[in-house]
Amino acid sequence: MNQWNRVRLGDVCLVNTGSYSVKDQWEYVHYLDTGNITANHIDEIQYIDLMKEKLPSRAKRKVKHNSILYSTVRPNQCHYGIVKEQTSNFLVSTGFSVIDVIDERVDADFLYYRLTMNVVTEKLHAIAEQSTSAYPAIKASDIEDLELTFPDIQTQKCIASFLMSLEHKIANNTKINKNLDVECCAA
């Protein structure tokens, strides 16, 4: 049996490192707000033409492939996900902590699944409820200070691959069920 090692996330990840600036001179932005993603399911990504529209003040965080998005407000509402298909000029709300793995000992997919486990979400929500803000919120440092256990990298990749395939099968079954509902109603 493989040994699992305890790791402080701030030692293997960077949080909130990329920010948009007008110096980037983007003509448009694809923007994701915290309310538009739940448990890695995106409802909508807004398209904002910067030649005609003003950018929302919270549209600041840049993301990249395998960036983990974790809402800092009310973690128990599961507004989190992992970026797998990145469009150009993609920004997310400052209401997210954007977590990027920087250490080859940690797999981004495995970390995403660890961060979204009920026990971790409940721990972060308990921290949020102790915050001094008007609503339950966590800080980037709360995520950086988390200590989680990890097996070796090959085991992480194997576990993450299995979980990802289950997630895809559930999504496909959900689509099939929705199509069956539509067909039944139309008959």
Side-chain angles (χ1 to χ4, degrees):
M1 182 162 168
N2 291 331
Q3 179 180 350
W4 288 48
N5 298 308
R6 182 168 292 281
V7 176
R8 180 183 169 273
L9 292 190
D11 295 336
V12 295
C13 299
L14 295 175
V15 181
N16 299 338
T17 57
S19 292
Y20 175 76
S21 165
V22 291
K23 293 177 187 174
D24 289 317
Q25 297 182 343
W26 290 354
E27 293 180 10
Y28 63 91
V29 165
H30 291 103
Y31 173 61
L32 180 67
D33 198 1
T34 56
N36 289 331
I37 187 170
T38 304
N40 210 27
H41 174 76
I42 296 174
D43 292 325
E44 176 188 15
I45 295 177
Q46 298 173 37
Y47 176 85
I48 302 169
D49 181 343
L50 297 179
M51 301 297 128
K52 299 176 184 174
E53 303 171 72
K54 187 176 177 189
L55 193 62
S57 62
R58 294 182 64 112
K60 295 255 192 278
R61 300 213 197 285
K62 290 181 178 178
V63 297
K64 56 188 177 187
H65 180 74
N66 282 339
S67 287
I68 299 166
L69 311 176
Y70 208 97
S71 176
T72 58
V73 178
R74 296 180 181 90
N76 65 335
Q77 292 184 349
C78 304
H79 295 297
Y80 49 65
I82 184 166
V83 177
K84 289 298 180 182
E85 296 176 21
Q86 181 183 352
T87 61
S88 57
N89 299 0
F90 192 20
L91 296 178
V92 299
S93 170
T94 55
F96 287 113
S97 280
V98 177
I99 306 158
D100 293 304
V101 173
I102 58 166
D103 190 303
E104 66 278 351
R105 295 174 298 161
V106 176
D107 178 70
D109 293 322
F110 184 81
L111 175 58
Y112 167 74
Y113 287 114
R114 288 287 283 136
L115 281 171
T116 59
M117 291 176 65
N118 286 343
V119 66
V120 176
T121 302
E122 289 168 9
K123 180 177 183 167
L124 288 171
H125 190 71
I127 292 169
E129 287 183 325
Q130 296 172 10
S131 72
T132 56
S133 65
Y135 44 82
I138 57 173
K139 303 180 295 295
S141 61
D142 295 325
I143 291 174
E144 292 169 336
D145 290 339
L146 273 179
E147 289 189 6
L148 300 175
T149 55
F150 294 86
D152 64 87
I153 191 70
Q154 289 304 86
T155 304
Q156 289 177 52
K157 288 180 183 206
C158 185
I159 293 169
S161 176
F162 176 75
L163 293 173
M164 202 174 304
S165 93
L166 282 178
E167 196 172 287
H168 289 300
K169 286 180 184 195
I170 291 168
N172 284 336
N173 286 341
T174 300
K175 285 180 188 176
I176 290 168
N177 288 341
K178 285 182 181 178
N179 284 339
L180 288 175
D181 288 343
V182 170
E183 289 174 12
C184 290
C185 291

